Amino acid sequence: MKEISFESPNKSRKKNLFIKNLIKFFIVLFIILLLTSLVFLSIHLYKKNTSTIKNIKAAWQNYDYQTIYEIGKPYLQENPFNNTVLTYYGYACFFLAQSQTDNTQTQTYLDESINKLRLAIYEANQSLLPQLQYMLGRAYFFKSTITTNYYADLAIKYLTLAKENGYKADDIPEYLGLSYASLDMTMESISAFSEALLVRESDALLLAIAEQYYKAKEFVVAEQYLFRIIKNSQNDEMIIKSQILLGNIYIDREDYEKALKEFENVLQKSQNSADAHYGIGVIYEKQGNLVKARAEWRQTLKYQVNHQGALQKLNSN
C-alpha cells in the first residue's frame, strides 16, 4: 500500500501567508501605478488647460476672435464644462456673428454663442453673472433681428436680469426698447426708449420713439420727436422716414393739406419713394378721388413691387 503524505499545518499556513502577502503586494503596486498615472494625467491636463486658457486670453487681448473659435471648439468637445473657455468662446462667437455678411453663417455663430453662454451661466461666479446675462441678451436680440423677432422675449429676459443684477451698459435701454417694440409692447418700449434718450440721442432713436408714440395714438408727442429730426438731422434717409410718418399722422387727423405737403417734400428729395406715393394715394382716396388714388398706388408698385398697402388698396378698390 502506497504511503499517504500529509503537509504539516505550519508549512501550509506559511504558504497561505506568502500567497496573501503576494496578492497584497500586487494590489499596492497596482494602486501606486494607478495613482502615479492619475498624477501624471492631472499634471498633463493642468498644463494643457493652462496653455489653452493662456492662448485664448492672449487672442482675446488682440481681438482675435477667429483664433479663440479655432482653439476653443476642439477643446470644448473634450472638456464641455470648462467655464472660462465657455465664456470666451461664447463671446468670440457673438463677435464673429456680427462680422458676417451671410445670414446663415451669422445664425450658426449666434446659435453657438447662445449655447455656450447658457452653459457658462450655470457655473458662473456671481461677479461675472450679470455680464454673461448681458451678452446672452445681446445674442438673443441679434438672433431675433434675423428670425422675425421670435427671440425678442428672451432678449428682454436676459437684458433685464443683467440690469437688475447691476450690470451697466448704455445700450441696454435701446435694445429693450427695440425688443418691446417688435412684440407690440408699446408702452414698455416708450419707457425703455425714453431711458435710452437720457444716455445718448440719435436720429434712429428719436424716430423709434416717435413710431411708438404714433402706435399709441399720442400724435402730439410723436410730432415733437419728428420735428427734431427734420430740423436737426444731416441724414436724408432719417428725414424722409420722419416726413412719411408725419404725413401719416396728418392723414389720421384728416389734415390732408399738411399731409400732402409732407409727401411732396419727400418726393423732392426722392422721386422714387414708394411710401410717399402710397400716402398721396390714401389722401386722394379719403377725398373720394379713386382714379387719382389708384394712379398713385400703381406708382407705388412701380418703385416697390411688394408694397403691401398698395397691393391691398388696388385689390379692394
Side-chain angles (χ1 to χ4, degrees):
M1 184 176 180
K2 193 173 181 179
E3 183 179 353
I4 300 174
S5 175
F6 292 96
E7 189 175 12
S8 70
N10 188 46
K11 187 176 180 180
S12 177
R13 280 197 297 272
K14 286 182 179 180
K15 183 177 180 180
N16 290 337
L17 183 60
F18 173 77
I19 293 172
K20 288 180 181 179
N21 288 336
L22 187 64
I23 292 172
K24 287 180 181 179
F25 171 77
F26 281 114
I27 291 173
V28 170
L29 181 63
F30 174 77
I31 292 172
I32 292 172
L33 291 173
L34 180 61
L35 289 175
T36 303
S37 299
L38 290 174
V39 168
F40 278 112
L41 179 61
S42 298
I43 293 171
H44 172 72
L45 290 176
Y46 175 77
K47 289 182 178 179
K48 183 179 179 181
N49 287 347
T50 303
S51 176
T52 299
I53 292 171
K54 182 179 178 181
N55 291 335
I56 285 175
K57 287 183 176 180
W60 179 262
Q61 292 296 322
N62 294 319
Y63 305 99
D64 188 354
Y65 306 123
Q66 186 63 42
T67 294
I68 295 172
Y69 180 82
E70 291 171 359
I71 294 174
K73 192 176 183 69
Y75 179 87
L76 288 172
Q77 288 174 348
E78 296 180 8
N79 308 273
F81 301 110
N82 184 295
N83 200 265
T84 301
V85 179
L86 282 170
T87 300
Y88 280 107
Y89 184 83
Y91 286 7
C93 286
F94 172 80
F95 290 116
L96 285 171
Q98 288 194 308
S99 67
Q100 303 304 307
T101 56
D102 178 7
N103 273 354
T104 302
Q105 194 64 35
T106 299
Q107 184 87 336
T108 299
Y109 279 124
L110 282 175
D111 286 342
E112 284 201 65
S113 176
I114 288 168
N115 177 264
K116 297 304 184 287
L117 291 176
R118 287 179 68 95
L119 287 174
I121 278 177
Y122 284 115
E123 298 294 333
N125 293 330
Q126 287 302 308
S127 60
L128 185 61
L129 181 61
Q131 185 185 95
L132 283 166
Q133 292 167 335
Y134 166 71
M135 289 298 295
L136 186 54
R138 287 181 72 190
Y140 274 124
F141 173 81
F142 284 106
K143 184 174 174 65
S144 183
T145 62
I146 59 174
T147 55
T148 325
N149 302 314
Y150 292 139
Y151 297 89
D153 57 335
L154 288 169
I156 291 168
K157 173 184 175 180
Y158 286 103
L159 289 169
T160 300
L161 282 172
K163 186 178 177 183
E164 290 173 350
N165 288 327
Y167 191 78
K168 306 292 185 184
D170 290 347
D171 52 8
I172 288 179
E174 189 167 352
Y175 286 142
L176 286 173
L178 292 167
S179 298
Y180 283 128
S182 69
L183 296 174
D184 293 324
M185 299 174 70
T186 304
M187 300 315 297
E188 291 86 349
S189 179
I190 288 172
S191 177
F193 281 139
S194 298
E195 183 180 345
L197 279 175
L198 297 175
V199 178
R200 178 184 60 86
E201 183 175 306
S202 68
D203 294 338
L205 190 53
L206 290 170
L207 180 58
I209 196 169
E211 289 171 341
Q212 294 308 302
Y213 275 116
Y214 174 68
K215 285 184 179 180
K217 300 192 180 300
E218 296 189 31
F219 299 144
V220 175
V221 184
E223 274 184 281
Q224 300 308 310
Y225 287 104
L226 296 172
F227 287 151
R228 284 164 65 177
I229 299 170
I230 294 168
K231 181 180 178 181
N232 300 318
S233 179
Q234 303 298 315
N235 187 321
D236 282 345
E237 183 182 356
M238 287 290 106
I239 293 172
I240 286 172
K241 288 181 177 180
S242 299
Q243 290 174 322
I244 293 289
L245 183 54
L246 196 55
N248 290 332
I249 288 174
Y250 291 143
I251 288 175
D252 288 346
R253 285 181 172 172
E254 299 183 359
D255 192 339
Y256 303 131
E257 185 177 342
K258 282 187 176 181
L260 183 61
K261 183 179 178 181
E262 292 300 328
F263 293 132
E264 287 175 343
N265 287 338
V266 170
L267 292 176
Q268 287 178 5
K269 296 185 181 72
S270 176
Q271 295 180 353
N272 300 338
S273 172
D275 287 331
H277 283 291
Y278 174 76
I280 292 171
V282 173
I283 292 171
Y284 285 133
E285 178 190 32
K286 297 288 187 182
Q287 294 174 336
N289 192 336
L290 284 180
V291 174
K292 285 189 174 182
R294 290 177 65 83
E296 290 294 334
W297 294 331
R298 284 193 290 271
Q299 281 287 95
T300 301
L301 294 178
K302 177 181 176 182
Y303 300 123
Q304 185 180 333
V305 295
N306 62 343
H307 194 286
Q308 292 302 308
L311 289 170
Q312 291 174 5
K313 291 290 187 183
L314 287 171
N315 288 331
S316 61
N317 286 289

